[in-house]
Amino acid sequence: MATEQTAPPQTPRETPSGPGGKPDAAVVRDALGVGIAVGLSGFAFGVTSAGSGLGLLQTCALSLLVFTGASQFALVGALAAGGNPFTAAAGAFFLGTRNAFYGLRLSQLLALPKALRPLAAQWVIDETTAVTLAQPTRRAARIGFTVTGATLYALWNLTTLAGALGARAIGDTDAWGLDAASPAVFLALLAPMLKTTTERVTAALAVVLVLALLPVLPAGVPVLGAALAAPLVLFLKGRGAATADPADTGATAPDPDPAGDDITDPGRSGEIGNSPKGQAR
């Protein structure tokens, strides 16, 4: 009698990033897209920096050591507008402190070895944070952070050098509007992250504050005033929540157990309240 051969049970194939994760290829593709798109705007920084009076070595050093586009543009923009160097540096510094807050969150997600953390800190910027936070698993987050950081750092510095060398051939940078390239890319990345009304109102108020302060404050300082938008919106939101509190309006909370069937009552059938699951809930 011939024995019937049965095929071994098929197990579901796991993605390279683990069960329920995101395929590595998709993470790399997304990270490369962000890194290349933003990295090319380093050319605009190189041209703008050279046009503001900084030398080739100074321009390249900013990209190599500072490596945060918004702060770099804020610095050279303030210098080009005739601002005080110390004021321009202070504005760029405080604008760059946001990366420290990014680092607090990314350190938990990435959980890198201590030896790698100082090196990874150089790549903690807006774009790497956005890509990392969008990943569903730690493996995907590490891949997204590494690919975005490496691609962006390499391209940003190469295009900065190219922009600084080609500044003379381009001529007047203001006529080309290249100083707006990096901020425009940053806004394009930021806009999809503004999902709630509070976030949108905060961003709109920050824009209004900057535009209102531009005529009255030195170059580089108005961007610092935009930071006041967040605490102001949160304060107003807190006051609105307080006025809507049922305790203030005299409203009473609904009875959670109108039928009198308390699931924690040990006298009920099955003693749900005494079970570990019932206690945990």
Side-chain angles (χ1 to χ4, degrees):
M1 179 177 179
T3 59
E4 182 179 359
Q5 296 182 353
T6 58
Q10 298 292 326
T11 57
R13 179 177 296 180
E14 296 181 355
T15 61
S17 58
K22 189 175 181 180
D24 294 349
V27 180
V28 172
R29 181 181 64 248
D30 295 342
L32 285 175
V34 173
I36 294 173
V38 180
L40 293 177
S41 63
F43 182 84
F45 170 73
V47 173
T48 305
S49 179
S52 67
L54 295 182
L56 177 63
L57 293 180
Q58 292 172 319
T59 298
C60 293
L62 278 175
S63 287
L64 284 169
L65 302 177
V66 178
F67 187 55
T68 170
S71 296
Q72 292 178 231
F73 271 101
L75 175 63
V76 299
L79 293 176
N84 184 286
F86 294 101
T87 302
F93 172 79
F94 285 109
L95 186 59
T97 55
R98 70 191 187 283
N99 295 334
F101 296 98
Y102 294 161
L104 294 176
R105 178 59 178 148
L106 294 187
S107 64
Q108 299 175 347
L109 291 177
L110 300 175
L112 296 174
K114 292 184 178 180
L116 296 178
R117 292 178 185 176
L119 299 176
Q122 179 68 358
W123 290 354
V124 177
I125 55 176
D126 301 309
E127 293 78 13
T128 55
T129 302
V131 173
T132 303
L133 294 179
Q135 307 310 320
T137 63
R138 175 166 292 168
R139 174 187 174 88
R142 287 178 172 178
I143 294 174
F145 177 84
T146 303
V147 175
T148 305
T151 305
L152 184 51
Y153 189 78
L155 272 180
W156 181 266
N157 282 281
L158 289 174
T159 54
T160 293
L161 175 61
L165 292 174
R168 293 183 179 179
I170 291 177
D172 186 9
T173 58
D174 293 337
W176 291 84
L178 293 176
D179 55 335
S182 183
V185 172
F186 173 71
L187 290 177
L189 292 172
L190 178 64
M193 301 179 67
L194 303 177
K195 299 179 180 179
T196 66
T197 302
T198 301
E199 293 170 350
R200 296 189 186 100
V201 171
T202 303
L205 181 59
V207 173
V208 171
L209 286 174
V210 170
L211 295 178
L213 296 175
L214 275 175
V216 296
L217 293 179
V221 178
V223 69
L224 302 180
L228 298 175
L232 181 58
V233 170
L234 292 177
F235 173 75
L236 295 176
K237 183 180 179 182
R239 291 198 60 179
T243 56
D245 192 343
D248 296 336
T249 60
T252 58
D255 184 3
D257 188 25
D261 297 331
D262 186 359
I263 63 173
T264 61
D265 183 4
R268 291 190 60 190
S269 175
E271 298 186 354
I272 300 176
N274 291 337
S275 66
K277 184 175 180 180
Q279 292 175 358
R281 294 187 61 170

